[in-house]
Amino acid sequence: MKKALKILGGIIITLFLILLIAPFAFQSQIKDLVKNYINDNLNAKVEFTDVDLSLIQNFPKAHVSVDNLVITNNAPFKDETFATVKSISFSMPLPELFKNTSEGPMVINSIHVNEAMVTLKTDKLGNNNYDITKESPETPTTEDSTENGFAFEIEDYSISNSAITYLDETSKMEVYITELNHSGKGVFSAETSELDTETETNVSFSMDSTNHLTNNHFKLDALLALDLENSKYTFKENKALINQLPLEFDGYVQLMDEGQDIDLTFQNPGSSFKDFLALIPETYSKDLDKVETNGDFKISGAVKGLLSEETIPTFDIAITSNNAAFKYPDLPKGINDITINTIIKNETGEKDDTYVDIKTLNFAIDQDKFKSSATIRNLTSNMQVQAFVDGVLNLSNLTKAYPISLENELSGILKGNINTSFDMDAVENNRYERIKTSGNLTLTDLIYSSEGFQNPIQIETASLDFNPSIVNVTNFKARTGQSDLQMNGSLKNFMGFIFGKNKLQGNFNLNSNNLVVNDFMTSEVENSEDTSANNAESSPTKIPDFLDCTIQAKANTVVYDNLELKNLNGTLSIKDQEANLQNMTANIFDGTLALMGTVSTKNDTPTFNMNLGAEDFDISKSFKDLELLQALAPIAKFLEGQLNTTISLNGNLDEQMTPSLNSISGSAFAELLTREINTSNSPLLNQLDNTFNFIDFDALSDKDLKTDLVFDNGQVNVKPFKLAYKDIDIEISGSHGFDQNMNYKAVLDVPAKYLGSEVNRLIGKINDNEVNNISIPVTANITGAISNPAISTDLNASVSKLTQQLIEIQKEKLLNEGAGAIKDLLSGIGQAQESAHQESATDSTETTTNNSNTVQQGIKNVLGGLLNKQKKESDSIK
């Protein structure tokens, strides 16, 4: 017995080892089989990482799995991924592995797909990316189609954790099926059989950019009768859930050559109004089982006809509710007097003939009643809308009656009575004659809070009157923080903005007594971690691309940063993410500011191009508070007086929409009308004052100056301009950076009399008008920073050169004076001799003696005078 058990055990172990090892022997055969099938049947690029075979996992059946399957389309969807599947597995009878292709198709009993991502696409030309099966030369019969492939005798199948996307560019339809889990059990080989299925998924559906379903949850447990010979599938026992709304189906779907023949009816099995709330996505309905409801709710429908490329089935869906109400137990208010009467219908099978008729949609919260009705036709082409709204709505009651989560506080009273009729073609193409809207809308005491604003926005009143093509804003008053706004004007194409993608066009008059720009800026992040995260993800403020409007603005006071502007007046035009300022004026710094230019946020980095004019600015105030003026002329902040300037500049704006100094370029003309210069607070002027002790910079005789500036890439080039101190002319030129580093040259035309006692003694000895008016150029090179300047001059060298020049002039003058004295001596001798000849006849002896004495005295006088003069001059030089 023991020996028999050992033999039996050995056989079992041997068989187990054979089953375990055998797949390795057939691995290559299985891979070849899969590759051959793909190549024979698919017109696409298919890749997979591995094919595994197990004889144990589903024993006595073989288990084959393909891992990481990727299917990529050929033209016209070349290189686009059609499907990815993490794993797909098959089970089949073990003998099927050894079947020769000539023996018939290989039988498959089960298929399991895990994590499949499939994208179905139809392009504008009608090409389908899922048409990837190869066409045979002749249309095969059903029997022939499986001759060399697979025969499916399915007992069970499943699709888990998968997603399907359908994109149709021709109809602008998008369907997203996510978190798909579907399974079925049955036998497909019999002519008639049953299939028991379970399906659960989330569905989103949009058409022409309008969302009809957004991640709605669907669940369906259905028992289907299968008539495989006639391709007819009949719903026998089923239960569906749309969100939490239960539905029951009856009828069938039959596949035909021209399409699908559908005959279905459905309804919710109960009639409680709670079924209506179940239609709302669970995220918003919340705790549905605890809601108290009254009244009925019924949804029923029938779908019958052919679904093909040209037609759709006719259908008639009715949604009704009468005198219903509901209240959430944790909320103070309920919604009452709910009446719904809606029909969704198509009577012809033509897509364009589908229409929605909302005959009644009424409700009340407390004493506020809301009534509405609408008819929508031509859903798939040029949609036509007729609608009516009349009622009062206290916005603060929304969160008190329904568990909706609002990120920000909202309150106020909305009153409206509006009739409208339009078609989408008219809306999208601004054909105002086909847009008929009348009525009025009033909003009072609205309080709205948002992280985008420093303070809540309080709208005291906003009144809109609707005319056929224009909406008049007759009254708008609002406050936020310290700012107040009053506005009126008109809007064009309001319906195009609300229902389409058109721009909001309008003209407005805006008035404000006090406008603080920071009230409209994003609030600062308080902690450092949030600040870092905010900076990492921060992006510049964008001008909305939907705005196309002109605003005539007036404000008594505008506060921007540390600046306060008075009597602002001008025009602001906004279009294509660009703001254009025209004739904008304001009073600031005791003068007048004029602005013209543009700000654009079209690109990632906002830009500006501005012309500024300043008239009678107080110099010290303006240069103290305006960073731009400090950068252009930093020394001017130490002046007292008035400034007139015109500045043309362009550059980039940062995240706070302020100019980035290192990016700006342009030019400026400045006129400074100064009354006083304060050198004590200026290291530069103080050092210049010490360097040139013969100039008192506080007492410049001509303090008014004009100069031209050119700036680019953070560098300011100053064209030469002139100053004067008494009889000293000063010319200044050079450049400085916005980083306050300087490279300037000042050339002073200095009269010699300011250059020391030695120079002045030399000038006095020469005593010549030309010498008295002599001057020399003195150059001062100014470098370093405004706060720590470095000044070098050639003053000493210039004084030494002038001294040598004066000495040479004096020598030349002495030589000229000596030659003149000798000439006078010779002239005196000649005159004495002539006198002696004339007197010789009277008394020769006496005359001779006298003449001799006269000549001797004349020579003595001349020589004595010359020598004495030379001596004095020599002493003077010493």
Side-chain angles (χ1 to χ4, degrees):
M1 185 66 180
K2 290 182 179 180
K3 185 176 181 180
L5 290 175
K6 286 182 179 181
I7 293 173
L8 180 60
I11 293 172
I12 293 174
I13 293 174
T14 301
L15 289 174
F16 179 79
L17 291 175
I18 292 173
L19 293 174
L20 189 65
I21 298 172
F24 295 99
F26 295 102
Q27 195 89 354
S28 176
Q29 180 181 347
I30 297 300
K31 284 186 178 180
D32 292 339
L33 179 66
V34 173
K35 287 181 180 180
N36 291 335
Y37 178 79
I38 290 173
N39 292 331
D40 291 341
N41 292 276
L42 297 184
N43 183 24
K45 180 182 178 182
V46 181
E47 298 175 303
F48 51 87
T49 58
D50 201 4
V51 176
D52 293 324
L53 170 65
S54 172
L55 301 180
I56 297 177
Q57 186 169 340
N58 288 335
F59 186 81
K61 296 180 180 180
H63 179 86
V64 179
S65 64
V66 180
D67 296 331
N68 300 317
L69 177 70
V70 179
I71 302 176
T72 306
N73 283 109
N74 294 329
F77 300 93
K78 185 174 176 58
D79 297 332
E80 293 185 11
T81 301
F82 170 68
T84 63
V85 184
K86 185 175 182 180
S87 66
I88 179 170
S89 59
F90 311 88
S91 64
M92 62 190 71
L94 187 59
E96 297 295 315
L97 289 176
F98 306 97
K99 181 183 291 185
N100 194 298
T101 55
S102 61
E103 298 175 2
M106 184 176 291
V107 176
I108 302 294
N109 298 128
S110 66
I111 303 175
H112 299 281
V113 178
N114 182 37
E115 294 188 24
M117 306 294 172
V118 180
T119 300
L120 309 176
K121 183 183 292 187
T122 301
D123 65 16
K124 294 179 179 179
L125 300 177
N127 298 311
N128 301 317
N129 74 332
Y130 47 86
D131 290 338
I132 60 175
T133 56
K134 290 183 177 180
E135 295 183 1
S136 301
E138 298 179 359
T139 304
T141 64
T142 304
E143 184 178 352
D144 293 336
S145 65
T146 61
E147 183 176 349
N148 295 313
F150 296 98
F152 295 100
E153 295 184 2
I154 300 296
E155 296 175 357
D156 67 272
Y157 68 94
S158 68
I159 301 172
S160 58
N161 301 320
S162 297
I164 300 174
T165 299
Y166 176 68
L167 306 174
D168 190 338
E169 294 181 357
T170 58
S171 62
K172 298 182 180 179
M173 182 170 64
E174 298 180 3
V175 179
Y176 299 94
I177 299 174
T178 59
E179 299 181 42
L180 172 62
N181 290 281
H182 172 76
S183 63
K185 295 180 180 180
V187 179
F188 287 80
S189 57
E191 291 183 359
T192 59
S193 58
E194 290 184 346
L195 178 65
D196 191 2
T197 65
E198 294 182 358
T199 305
E200 190 168 1
T201 188
N202 295 325
V203 178
S204 297
F205 168 67
S206 66
M207 179 171 285
D208 199 15
S209 301
T210 301
N211 293 328
H212 298 280
L213 297 173
T214 303
N215 210 35
N216 287 69
H217 186 71
F218 280 77
K219 186 176 181 181
L220 174 64
D221 296 337
L223 180 63
L224 300 176
L226 307 179
D227 182 354
L228 299 181
E229 183 176 358
N230 297 304
S231 300
K232 185 176 181 179
Y233 309 95
T234 304
F235 290 91
K236 297 180 67 176
E237 297 177 12
N238 60 85
K239 182 179 181 182
L241 283 175
I242 302 176
N243 288 332
Q244 297 183 55
L245 171 67
L247 290 176
E248 293 181 350
F249 288 84
D250 288 304
Y252 67 87
V253 175
Q254 184 173 8
L255 304 182
M256 306 178 69
D257 292 338
E258 57 271 25
Q260 302 172 33
D261 181 27
I262 300 175
D263 189 350
L264 293 174
T265 60
F266 59 89
Q267 65 176 355
N268 58 320
S271 61
S272 169
F273 187 77
K274 191 172 291 187
D275 287 349
F276 171 77
L277 297 179
L279 280 172
I280 302 171
E282 294 180 27
T283 305
Y284 303 107
S285 59
K286 296 180 181 179
D287 300 327
L288 192 58
D289 55 330
K290 300 179 182 178
V291 178
E292 301 172 4
T293 62
N294 293 315
D296 60 359
F297 173 78
K298 197 69 179 177
I299 180 170
S300 60
V303 181
K304 184 177 179 62
L306 182 66
L307 177 62
S308 66
E309 293 183 359
E310 293 80 21
T311 63
I312 62 173
T314 62
F315 54 85
D316 186 354
I317 302 172
I319 303 172
T320 58
S321 179
N322 295 290
N323 299 320
F326 69 89
K327 184 181 181 303
Y328 282 81
D330 298 331
L331 296 178
K333 297 183 182 295
I335 298 180
N336 307 302
D337 301 332
I338 301 172
T339 301
I340 302 172
N341 187 358
T342 298
I343 295 173
I344 306 172
K345 207 166 192 178
N346 185 297
E347 299 173 306
T348 66
E350 298 292 332
K351 296 178 183 178
D352 288 346
D353 291 339
T354 301
Y355 67 92
V356 178
D357 186 4
I358 305 174
K359 297 179 181 295
T360 307
L361 178 57
N362 301 341
F363 64 87
I365 303 178
D366 284 347
Q367 303 303 313
D368 298 335
K369 298 183 181 298
F370 184 88
K371 299 179 180 180
S372 64
S373 62
T375 301
I376 306 172
R377 297 182 179 274
N378 296 344
L379 293 180
T380 59
S381 57
N382 181 26
M383 187 168 66
Q384 297 177 341
V385 177
Q386 287 183 316
F388 166 74
V389 174
D390 181 23
V392 179
L393 191 60
N394 188 333
L395 300 178
S396 64
N397 283 340
L398 292 178
T399 55
K400 296 177 181 178
Y402 190 78
I404 184 172
S405 297
L406 296 178
E407 294 182 1
N408 308 296
E409 179 185 352
L410 183 63
S411 65
I413 305 298
L414 179 66
K415 295 181 180 180
N417 186 312
I418 300 172
N419 273 292
T420 185
S421 174
F422 59 88
D423 63 87
M424 291 307 299
D425 178 72
V427 166
E428 293 171 356
N429 296 287
N430 300 329
R431 296 176 180 175
Y432 302 118
E433 70 277 4
R434 300 210 310 262
I435 302 174
K436 310 297 182 183
T437 304
S438 62
N440 57 77
L441 183 69
T442 302
L443 182 62
T444 56
D445 299 326
L446 172 71
I447 300 177
Y448 175 74
S449 299
S450 171
E451 293 180 358
F453 297 100
Q454 296 276 11
N455 306 286
I457 295 178
Q458 305 173 44
I459 298 178
E460 180 181 332
T461 181
S463 299
L464 285 75
D465 286 343
F466 291 84
N467 296 315
S469 60
I470 295 177
V471 178
N472 291 316
V473 182
T474 57
N475 189 16
F476 180 89
K477 293 182 180 180
R479 299 189 62 85
T480 180
Q482 303 176 54
S483 301
D484 62 274
L485 299 170
Q486 300 88 43
M487 186 171 64
N488 60 64
S490 61
L491 290 168
K492 293 182 179 179
N493 198 29
F494 184 72
M495 290 298 179
F497 170 69
I498 296 296
F499 293 103
K501 300 178 181 179
N502 292 16
K503 297 182 182 298
L504 184 63
Q505 300 173 333
N507 295 288
F508 300 97
N509 297 310
L510 175 65
N511 293 276
S512 175
N513 183 55
N514 190 58
L515 186 65
V516 180
V517 176
N518 280 347
D519 287 340
F520 301 92
M521 302 296 286
T522 303
S523 57
E524 295 181 358
V525 182
E526 295 182 357
N527 60 69
S528 58
E529 291 183 5
D530 289 343
T531 301
S532 300
N534 186 61
N535 290 340
E537 299 176 1
S538 65
S539 58
T541 303
K542 289 287 187 181
I543 298 172
D545 59 359
F546 60 80
L547 286 179
D548 181 3
C549 59
T550 300
I551 302 171
Q552 183 65 45
K554 290 184 179 181
N556 293 334
T557 302
V558 176
V559 179
Y560 176 69
D561 231 0
N562 61 332
L563 304 178
E564 186 174 290
L565 293 86
K566 295 288 187 180
N567 303 319
L568 182 139
N569 192 349
T571 303
L572 174 65
S573 299
I574 301 174
K575 186 177 182 179
D576 296 332
Q577 291 188 291
E578 186 172 278
N580 186 9
L581 281 72
Q582 304 169 13
N583 304 319
M584 189 75 70
T585 60
N587 298 126
I588 188 173
F589 305 130
D590 301 334
T592 302
L593 173 68
L595 282 173
M596 291 185 66
T598 59
V599 174
S600 176
T601 62
K602 289 182 181 179
N603 300 319
D604 292 338
T605 302
T607 59
F608 71 97
N609 190 333
M610 285 286 174
N611 293 316
L612 295 84
E615 183 177 356
D616 298 332
F617 269 24
D618 182 281
I619 294 176
S620 62
K621 291 180 181 179
S622 60
F623 279 81
K624 176 183 177 183
D625 294 335
L626 278 179
E627 185 180 5
L628 176 62
L629 292 183
Q630 293 175 15
L632 293 180
I635 195 174
K637 66 181 178 181
F638 305 109
L639 306 180
E640 298 289 342
Q642 292 178 317
L643 166 70
N644 296 326
T645 184
T646 57
I647 303 175
S648 297
L649 69 163
N650 59 79
N652 298 332
L653 298 170
D654 59 20
E655 287 81 2
Q656 285 74 41
M657 299 299 286
T658 56
S660 176
L661 286 180
N662 289 332
S663 74
I664 67 172
S665 61
S667 61
F669 170 77
E671 180 183 26
L672 299 175
L673 310 175
T674 61
R675 298 190 301 268
E676 182 180 344
I677 298 177
N678 186 355
T679 61
S680 60
N681 294 327
S682 170
L684 173 60
L685 294 177
N686 190 39
Q687 192 164 336
L688 284 172
D689 203 32
N690 294 332
T691 301
F692 300 110
N693 52 20
F694 50 83
I695 298 179
D696 182 2
F697 281 89
D698 288 329
L700 288 176
S701 60
D702 184 6
K703 299 174 185 175
D704 299 343
L705 64 90
K706 299 179 181 180
T707 185
D708 289 301
L709 312 175
V710 177
F711 45 93
D712 189 17
N713 295 323
Q715 194 71 20
V716 180
N717 294 304
V718 180
K719 296 183 179 180
F721 65 92
K722 292 185 177 181
L723 292 173
Y725 172 77
K726 295 182 180 179
D727 51 356
I728 300 177
D729 292 328
I730 307 172
E731 183 178 86
I732 301 174
S733 63
S735 65
H736 68 270
F738 289 163
D739 58 2
Q740 305 290 283
N741 284 318
M742 302 177 295
N743 186 10
Y744 277 93
K745 181 173 73 173
V747 179
L748 295 78
D749 190 19
V750 182
K753 62 184 179 182
Y754 293 112
L755 300 177
S757 58
E758 181 68 23
V759 173
N760 281 291
R761 282 197 299 269
L762 288 173
I763 292 173
K765 291 172 185 178
I766 297 173
N767 193 22
D768 186 282
N769 287 334
E770 292 184 2
V771 175
N772 289 337
N773 294 328
I774 196 170
S775 63
I776 62 169
V778 176
T779 300
N781 292 306
I782 307 169
T783 58
I786 295 290
S787 59
N788 186 24
I791 301 175
S792 61
T793 74
D794 60 356
L795 178 61
N796 292 333
S798 297
V799 171
S800 297
K801 184 178 179 180
L802 177 61
T803 302
Q804 289 298 117
Q805 184 180 352
L806 291 174
I807 291 173
E808 292 300 324
I809 292 172
Q810 188 180 24
K811 287 180 179 180
E812 185 177 350
K813 184 175 182 180
L814 287 175
L815 291 174
N816 290 336
E817 289 178 348
I822 295 173
K823 183 178 181 181
D824 291 342
L825 173 61
L826 295 176
S827 176
I829 293 173
Q831 290 176 1
Q833 290 175 343
E834 184 179 356
S835 177
H837 286 296
Q838 291 175 354
E839 296 178 0
S840 61
T842 306
D843 190 350
S844 60
T845 303
E846 183 178 355
T847 301
T848 302
T849 303
N850 291 335
N851 285 340
S852 176
N853 292 334
T854 299
V855 172
Q856 292 175 358
Q857 186 64 40
I859 293 172
K860 181 179 178 182
N861 290 338
V862 172
L863 293 175
L866 177 62
L867 293 175
N868 286 336
K869 184 174 182 181
Q870 288 177 338
K871 181 178 180 182
K872 290 178 180 179
E873 289 179 355
S874 175
D875 291 342
S876 174
I877 293 172
K878 292 179 181 178

